[in-house]
């Protein structure tokens, strides 16, 4: 396996006491395969701000693996974002996933009130305050962001984030490798050379997969949807089918030159480690 490839695991701050209790074990199991880093989501408007911080601390203290906070800017102020960046720098963190965040359901347009409107402004702000201290990842949408007017406008908006100083991109989840390859080719033609790492969502159920796809506009292929629905009451069968579909997707992506994989673990070690094993990714002794 090419050692320049980047493999990362995304966690979210647990919202229940059971989730909090389970997290150290999940981090420990995932850390055992030595990913390049863990990232930790952050609620738009700072809803799980403390949770993000606590989860980062748990990773730094227990995993010995680099931790990268997600930082959303929608509904936030420059002063607040500046304070968070200082706090992360003091913790020794060097990597940020910079995002706009989802707008409240009541928002009337794709823009939002507040001091930041789009992720490119956040990227510029981080560079202005901290120069090259942070490695900045931004989001990319091979199947287009659901609020974008068109694929071309969305692409131009993606370019703005790169020009503002993003070092790499993590994609929204998708199931069609061709959508990813088309997006990467478009970047190549436009002279955008940053690594675009596919975001991989393990399949663990029918209802949650449909919900995740509905939430972010990812296209769930009809044949996969039908088969998941059929297997809904057969958990082992569904998990086996889901792992097979996602393993093949990952194999195709890596074979086609993807610079790594970013796994949306949904705070479960098992499904991601199953993919890791299927892909014969290295496990340190
Ligand atoms: C890897 C990954 C991790 C994520 N983690 C989180 C998280 O931790 N917390 C969370 O709340 N959400 C998270 N999200 C979801 C993300 O916040 C949403 O998808 C959000 O709606 C868009 O964020 P963005 O950073 O891509 O926004 P932007 O890049 O700002 O794009 C948002 C929309 O605005 C358009 N746009 C962008 N710039 C401009 C401009 N200058 N003028 C006009 N239109 C513009 C774009 O085309 C797009 O339609 C994550 C998504 C991904 C892919």
């Amino acid at each position: 396996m090419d050692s320049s490839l980047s493999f990362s695991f995304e966690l979210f701050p647990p919202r229940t006491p059971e989730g909090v209790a389970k997290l150290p074990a999940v981090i420990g199991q995932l850390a055992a395969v030595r990913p390049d880093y863990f990232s930790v989501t952050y609620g738009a408007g700072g809803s799980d701000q403390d949770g993000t911080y606590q989860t980062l601390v748990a990773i730094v203290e227990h995993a010995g693996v680099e931790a990268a906070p997600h930082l959303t800017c929608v509904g936030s102020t420059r002063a607040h974002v500046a304070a968070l960046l200082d706090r992360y720098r003091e913790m020794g963190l060097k990597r940020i996933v910079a995002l706009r965040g989802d707008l409240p359901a009541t928002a009337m347009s794709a823009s939002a009130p507040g001091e930041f409107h789009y992720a490119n402004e956040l990227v510029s702000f981080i560079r202005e305050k901290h120069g090259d201290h942070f490695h900045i990842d931004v989001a990319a949408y091979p199947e287009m962001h659901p609020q974008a007017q068109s694929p071309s406008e969305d692409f131009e908006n993606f370019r703005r984030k790169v020009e503002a100083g993003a070092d790499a991109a993590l994609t929204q989840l998708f199931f069609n490798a061709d959508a990813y390859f088309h997006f990467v080719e478009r970047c190549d033609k436009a002279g955008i050379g940053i690594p675009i790492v596919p975001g991989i969502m393990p399949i663990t159920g029918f209802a949650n997969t449909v919900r995740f796809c509905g939430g972010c506009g990812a296209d769930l292929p009809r044949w996969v949807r039908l088969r998941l629905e059929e297997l809904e009451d057969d958990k082992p069968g569904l998990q086996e089918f889901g792992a097979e579909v996602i393993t093949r997707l990952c194999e195709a992506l890596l074979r086609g030159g993807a610079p790594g994989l970013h796994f949306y673990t949904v705070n479960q070690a098992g499904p991601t480690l199953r993919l890791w094993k299927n892909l014969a990714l290295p496990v340190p002794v």
Side-chain angles (χ1 to χ4, degrees):
M1 185 56 61
D2 178 349
S3 63
S4 69
L5 296 177
S6 164
F7 294 97
S8 46
F9 296 150
E10 184 170 309
L11 299 170
F12 64 82
R15 296 182 196 105
T16 60
E18 298 75 44
V20 171
K22 217 182 89 182
L23 190 66
V26 171
I27 292 174
Q29 286 167 305
L30 290 169
V33 299
R34 309 307 297 164
D36 289 280
Y37 67 97
F38 281 96
S39 81
V40 183
T41 65
Y42 180 79
S47 56
D48 355 297
Q49 186 181 322
D50 284 343
T52 300
Y53 179 71
Q54 299 304 339
T55 307
L56 290 166
V57 170
I59 295 166
V60 170
E61 285 182 358
H62 302 299
V65 173
E66 186 175 7
H70 294 206
L71 181 52
T72 60
C73 60
V74 68
S76 196
T77 62
R78 286 183 165 72
H80 183 69
V81 170
L84 272 177
L85 290 170
D86 288 345
R87 188 181 202 191
Y88 291 148
R89 193 166 175 164
E90 278 159 25
M91 279 176 79
L93 306 185
K94 290 198 169 149
R95 185 166 198 140
I96 301 266
V97 182
L99 303 144
R100 179 191 71 175
D102 282 318
L103 303 178
T106 49
M108 297 299 286
S109 75
S111 182
E115 294 186 17
F116 294 97
H117 307 96
Y118 297 107
N120 65 298
E121 297 162 30
L122 176 61
V123 176
S124 299
F125 185 76
I126 299 172
R127 288 286 176 239
E128 184 190 311
K129 291 280 174 196
H130 291 275
D132 288 336
H133 175 79
F134 290 109
H135 177 286
I136 303 179
D137 292 279
V138 291
Y141 301 86
E143 296 180 325
M144 195 180 93
H145 184 266
Q147 287 159 351
Q149 300 298 314
S150 67
S152 295
E153 273 194 36
D154 203 32
F155 188 77
E156 286 312 310
N157 291 327
F158 175 68
R159 186 207 294 267
R160 269 187 242 264
K161 296 194 278 197
V162 178
E163 287 173 352
D167 294 295
L170 306 172
T171 78
Q172 186 55 276
L173 71 98
F174 62 88
F175 297 99
N176 297 308
D178 282 341
Y180 169 81
F181 290 127
H182 176 73
F183 187 82
V184 171
E185 274 167 30
R186 207 164 174 186
C187 287
D188 284 346
K189 284 186 192 142
I192 296 173
I194 63 168
I196 307 210
V197 180
I200 302 298
M201 175 70 82
I203 292 179
T204 57
F206 168 64
N208 62 358
T209 302
V210 170
R211 194 174 64 248
F212 292 141
C213 292
C216 69
D219 179 34
L220 181 59
R222 182 170 174 273
W223 70 276
V224 177
R225 188 186 200 287
L226 289 173
R227 190 77 180 114
L228 290 177
E229 189 167 15
E230 189 174 53
L231 290 167
E232 195 176 7
D233 297 325
D234 168 13
K235 206 169 176 194
L238 185 145
Q239 287 177 344
E240 175 144 9
F241 171 72
E244 196 182 303
V245 167
I246 301 300
T247 300
R248 281 197 202 155
L249 171 66
C250 295
E251 283 169 347
L253 292 166
L254 292 173
R255 210 172 34 240
L261 299 169
H262 177 72
F263 292 93
Y264 295 108
T265 71
V266 201
N267 289 12
Q268 292 179 44
T272 291
L273 293 178
R274 182 170 186 170
L275 296 172
W276 193 273
K277 187 164 172 240
N278 288 356
L279 293 165
L281 292 173
V283 178
V285 186

